[in-house]
Amino acid sequence: MPDLRVGTYGFLPAWLTRWSNADTMMNASLFVFLGLFSGLWLDRTRQPMHRWVVTWVGLVGVIFLSEVGQLLLLNRPFDWDHSLSAAFGTLCGMAVLGMSRWMLKRAGIRKVFDRRYKNTPSMRILIYGINYSPELTGIGKYTGEMGAWLAKHDQEVDVITAHPYYPEWAIHDSHKNKGWHTEQIGGARVHRCPLYVPRKVTSLTRILHEFSFVASSLVYWFRILFRKRYDAVICLSPPFHLGVIPVLYSKLFNVPLWCHIQDLQIDMAKDLGMIKNKRFLDIMFKVEAFILKNCTVVSTISEGMVRKVTQKKVLQSECVLFPNWVDGEYVRPLSRSQSLRAELGLRESDKVILYSGSLGEKQGLEIIIEAARSFTSRPDVQFLIFGSGGGKDKLMALAQSYGLPNIKFYPLQPYEKLSALLATADIHLVLQKKSASDLVLPSKLTGILAAGGCALVSAVPGTTLHDIVSKHNMGILIEPESVEALKDAINENIATDLTSYRMNARRYAERNLDKENILNTFLKQLVEVAGVPDADPVVEKSMVLADADRQLNVGK
């Protein structure tokens, strides 16, 4: 066997090679470098002191295990001297790196080469969720707007998400066959992961769909382990189990984790009868409890959902209200002449009943088809359904079986046409099943209110949706899942002056759903949770500049 000791090759100074060739210290010089690299990684990821100690103990454990493994070789006894010298070398390397960086920081020299001290954003934020822009509805719309807004306000934003597929349940043409890749959207770095998207959405295929994203996203999570530590992680639910990996990262690197719940997925699956296996439900609730218990902050979008989350009795602190928002400057009331009526071939005198959004199970949209049957003798009453989703084919088949000439289906319209689309309707339908009460808040309602639309809302008394609409007199309330109630409400109101509802709706949106106000409040809370030094002045400055820019735009 050739002599493999370091000093043989002479690429180190003579004093170090002599030291490394000593019988009791021959391993130490190699492990000095291991200690240096370990210390560099710990420093760059801003780990607290106790994690330095844990890392060194772990390296020592590996050293002793490797020495024990040599007992399997012939004539190789356990050598305490080699093990102790390796452990000492590792300790020296980590200590030298730690002391050097500390001294440079004290002297002010560290700022010259440390990226952290240059003109960087206030915080490094990681967003983890299955839906993101350019999806036009649901969670992806709001998460995409949040990521872009944070980037605009001088935050460094990374996003781990899937290829866009919702609400069509098909990968968008722009992202087909792309695999793992990174793109820039609104100033945020968006890391895309491939996933399984079922053609037919069932409980089983949806579970496979969600777990395929978790598995696929491990590629980026593995890279994150070796990069600079984030200041905060934001996890979007559903899917509820996405929080498992962020919880582990949060515990390992001492990073605050903010979990934002858009739908109470397990409760809804149970109440809608989508999952009936009690043992499986119990397992899912336990996983959910583990995630929520280990989050720094848990937020959700309505007061009713805040109550539901609080009743789980697993949170570290109070559940935070973080409602969905609308850009009231972009989505605004338009005149009928500016609407899509001419483009859709509608007459000025037509009464338009509009549903726009996801066509899924939780809305109970079959009653629209049943209600439309009662107006076949009224050619001036037109039902328009804009959207995609797992229930679209079923709805179209039902309408076709009845041979209804007064109901038409269209794809979702681009965001640029949203105000014009909403101005087309006389009455907007906001429908959901009884069992989904306070487990989800229809996101489409924010746009309807901002556009000054009159919403016909199915809601159970005592729920957040019912209370808000009733208190502010900004819509027509009916019993959920009742065809008769829907028919009567439409028939009664299509010939009624709905101006008061429309004015109240716009007023509520301006006061309570303003995008800038809601996201400014969120950013302040996030800075407080992350505890980033000197972040507040930068955040305040960016907010002041944004408000000034906003006021100039309003004046144009």
Side-chain angles (χ1 to χ4, degrees), residues 193-239:
C193 307
L195 81 168
Y196 161 66
V197 180
R199 292 184 178 179
K200 184 177 181 180
V201 183
T202 65
S203 298
L204 178 59
T205 57
R206 184 156 192 161
I207 290 171
L208 294 174
H209 156 76
E210 292 171 354
F211 273 101
S212 71
F213 169 67
V214 174
S216 179
S217 68
L218 291 175
V219 171
Y220 290 115
W221 279 108
F222 182 75
R223 296 180 186 178
I224 285 171
L225 294 177
F226 301 96
R227 293 181 177 176
K228 186 179 175 183
R229 170 186 177 273
Y230 285 96
D231 295 301
V233 175
I234 303 170
C235 179
L236 280 300
S237 173

Side-chain angles (χ1 to χ4, degrees), residues 8 58 72-73 100 112 135 142 170 291 301 319 328-329 365 392 399 425:
T8 302
L72 300 176
L73 303 176
S100 299
V112 174
E135 293 178 353
Y142 289 103
I291 294 169
I301 61 175
C319 186
E329 298 169 17
L365 301 179
K392 184 173 183 177

Side-chain angles (χ1 to χ4, degrees), residues 45-57:
T45 55
R46 295 195 291 185
Q47 298 300 314
M49 183 55 65
H50 72 273
R51 295 196 184 275
W52 287 65
V53 175
V54 170
T55 301
W56 179 74
V57 171

Side-chain angles (χ1 to χ4, degrees), residues 63-369:
I63 290 167
F64 277 90
L65 282 175
S66 64
E67 193 67 35
V68 169
Q70 293 191 69
L71 296 176
L72 300 176
L73 303 176
L74 294 176
N75 302 320
R76 293 296 299 270
F78 186 90
D79 194 324
W80 279 100
D81 289 340
H82 286 181
S83 300
L84 292 174
S85 64
F88 179 71
T90 305
L91 178 62
C92 288
M94 294 177 68
V96 168
L97 191 285
M99 289 297 295
S100 299
R101 304 285 278 185
W102 178 79
M103 292 171 67
L104 288 172
K105 180 180 178 182
R106 295 277 293 183
I109 302 174
R110 185 175 185 176
K111 297 180 182 180
V112 174
F113 58 87
D114 196 331
R115 185 165 57 111
R116 187 186 322 163
Y117 288 91
K118 294 181 182 178
N119 187 24
T120 57
S122 303
M123 292 187 293
R124 298 186 71 245
I125 300 170
L126 175 64
I127 298 174
Y128 183 49
I130 198 170
N131 301 105
Y132 200 77
S133 178
E135 293 178 353
L136 294 173
T137 64
I139 298 172
K141 171 185 178 296
Y142 289 103
T143 308
E145 290 181 4
M146 177 179 67
W149 189 92
L150 289 170
K152 179 182 176 182
H153 287 73
D154 298 326
Q155 311 306 310
E156 184 180 340
V157 180
D158 281 296
V159 182
I160 299 178
T161 190
H163 295 319
Y165 68 91
Y166 189 81
E168 299 85 358
W169 284 91
I171 300 295
H172 293 189
D173 291 340
S174 58
H175 288 75
K176 282 184 177 179
N177 304 317
K178 281 196 172 182
W180 289 270
H181 69 281
T182 299
E183 58 186 347
Q184 289 278 339
I185 299 180
R189 283 189 300 269
V190 181
H191 308 287
R192 297 283 186 185
C193 307
L195 81 168
Y196 161 66
V197 180
R199 292 184 178 179
K200 184 177 181 180
V201 183
T202 65
S203 298
L204 178 59
T205 57
R206 184 156 192 161
I207 290 171
L208 294 174
H209 156 76
E210 292 171 354
F211 273 101
S212 71
F213 169 67
V214 174
S216 179
S217 68
L218 291 175
V219 171
Y220 290 115
W221 279 108
F222 182 75
R223 296 180 186 178
I224 285 171
L225 294 177
F226 301 96
R227 293 181 177 176
K228 186 179 175 183
R229 170 186 177 273
Y230 285 96
D231 295 301
V233 175
I234 303 170
C235 179
L236 280 300
S237 173
F240 77 96
H241 52 78
L242 286 193
V244 173
I245 298 177
V247 164
L248 298 178
Y249 177 80
S250 171
K251 294 298 181 184
L252 182 62
F253 292 95
N254 193 32
V255 175
L257 172 59
W258 185 307
C259 179
H260 183 53
I261 301 172
Q262 287 274 3
D263 289 352
L264 288 166
Q265 186 182 25
I266 311 175
D267 303 74
M268 191 163 59
K270 178 184 176 182
D271 292 348
L272 292 175
M274 298 171 70
I275 299 178
K276 299 178 181 178
N277 187 303
K278 186 177 183 301
R279 181 174 297 180
F280 187 49
L281 284 169
D282 289 342
I283 292 172
M284 290 196 295
F285 277 120
K286 287 179 180 178
V287 173
E288 180 190 57
F290 165 77
I291 294 169
L292 297 180
K293 184 178 180 180
N294 288 281
C295 290
T296 313
V297 178
V298 176
S299 63
T300 190
I301 61 175
S302 73
E303 293 178 356
M305 292 175 69
V306 167
R307 289 193 295 268
K308 293 278 188 182
V309 173
T310 302
Q311 288 169 5
K312 294 177 182 290
K313 297 181 179 180
V314 294
L315 304 186
Q316 293 185 29
S317 56
E318 291 186 5
C319 186
V320 174
L321 177 63
F322 180 18
N324 287 335
W325 56 84
V326 65
D327 187 345
E329 298 169 17
Y330 196 89
V331 182
R332 63 191 189 279
L334 297 179
S335 65
R336 182 165 292 190
S337 61
Q338 295 174 291
S339 72
L340 298 184
R341 283 182 174 248
E343 182 178 327
L344 299 172
L346 297 170
R347 293 168 298 185
E348 187 72 17
S349 59
D350 283 343
K351 303 297 182 182
V352 177
I353 316 301
L354 174 68
Y355 178 88
S356 177
S358 175
L359 308 179
E361 294 291 332
K362 61 191 177 187
Q363 289 88 2
L365 301 179
E366 297 83 2
I367 67 171
I368 300 177
I369 311 299

